[in-house]
Amino acid sequence: MKDKAGFTNTVVILGAVAQDNEAICRIIEKGPYRTETCLRISQLETILASDPCRTVILDVDSVPLDNRTIRDLTHSYPSTCFLCTSKEHFHPDLKDAISHHLFACLHKPVDPDELHYFLKCIRDNGTESRGPPAGSI
């Protein structure tokens, strides 16, 4: 089902580890969302081109991503909010992407309340805001 801006309530997860993807899907599907997973950037771009969604979660531990790739994704799909997940607390190699292009970074294992909070903020803000709500991080 699409909202009034033409977006589905689908959250797309880009990750190469099935167990991690399934854990995130279980959390997300407890809310009013559907999930779709993909293993490669090319699959993600195909999904986004055919079925716009509000939210994408990038597993930066399992899929090789760099600042340029993340920047290109956010510029190509400006109405989609991109989040990332990682077991690591710091990613100096992704400093630019984290500070300028990602809505939020979630530490694994993902906290269900934190994830649902961000999904609700994204849904409530629609396409008006690309960054996190003031004071949330």
Side-chain angles (χ1 to χ4, degrees):
M1 181 174 180
K2 293 187 178 188
D3 65 15
K4 60 186 173 186
F7 291 89
T8 66
N9 65 344
T10 301
V11 177
V12 179
I13 298 136
L14 173 65
V17 178
Q19 183 177 357
D20 289 348
N21 293 350
E22 291 167 7
I24 294 172
C25 288
R26 281 193 301 275
I27 293 169
I28 293 170
E29 290 172 353
K30 289 182 180 177
Y33 310 98
R34 294 179 314 122
T35 58
E36 187 166 347
T37 60
C38 55
L39 302 172
R40 292 180 296 283
I41 294 287
S42 59
Q43 289 176 302
L44 174 62
E45 290 176 321
T46 299
I47 291 168
L48 291 174
S50 65
D51 190 16
C53 68
R54 288 238 187 260
T55 310
V56 171
I57 299 175
L58 307 169
D59 183 342
V60 298
D61 293 337
S62 68
V63 177
L65 295 166
D66 57 22
N67 285 306
R68 180 183 203 101
T69 302
I70 294 171
R71 185 190 71 221
D72 290 348
L73 282 169
T74 61
H75 287 171
S76 295
Y77 306 97
S79 296
T80 298
C81 291
F82 290 83
L83 293 80
C84 75
T85 62
S86 178
K87 290 180 181 177
E88 302 297 324
H89 287 283
F90 301 105
H91 285 278
D93 53 323
L94 296 176
K95 179 182 175 185
D96 182 60
I98 290 170
S99 61
H100 298 295
H101 302 289
L102 295 174
F103 186 85
C105 298
L106 305 169
H107 189 260
K108 290 181 195 174
V110 173
D111 177 275
D113 292 333
E114 182 180 33
L115 178 54
H116 279 284
Y117 170 76
F118 284 120
L119 292 175
K120 181 183 181 312
C121 290
I122 292 166
R123 185 187 69 219
D124 291 350
N125 287 336
T127 58
E128 297 174 32
S129 173
R130 290 207 15 91
S136 67
I137 295 180

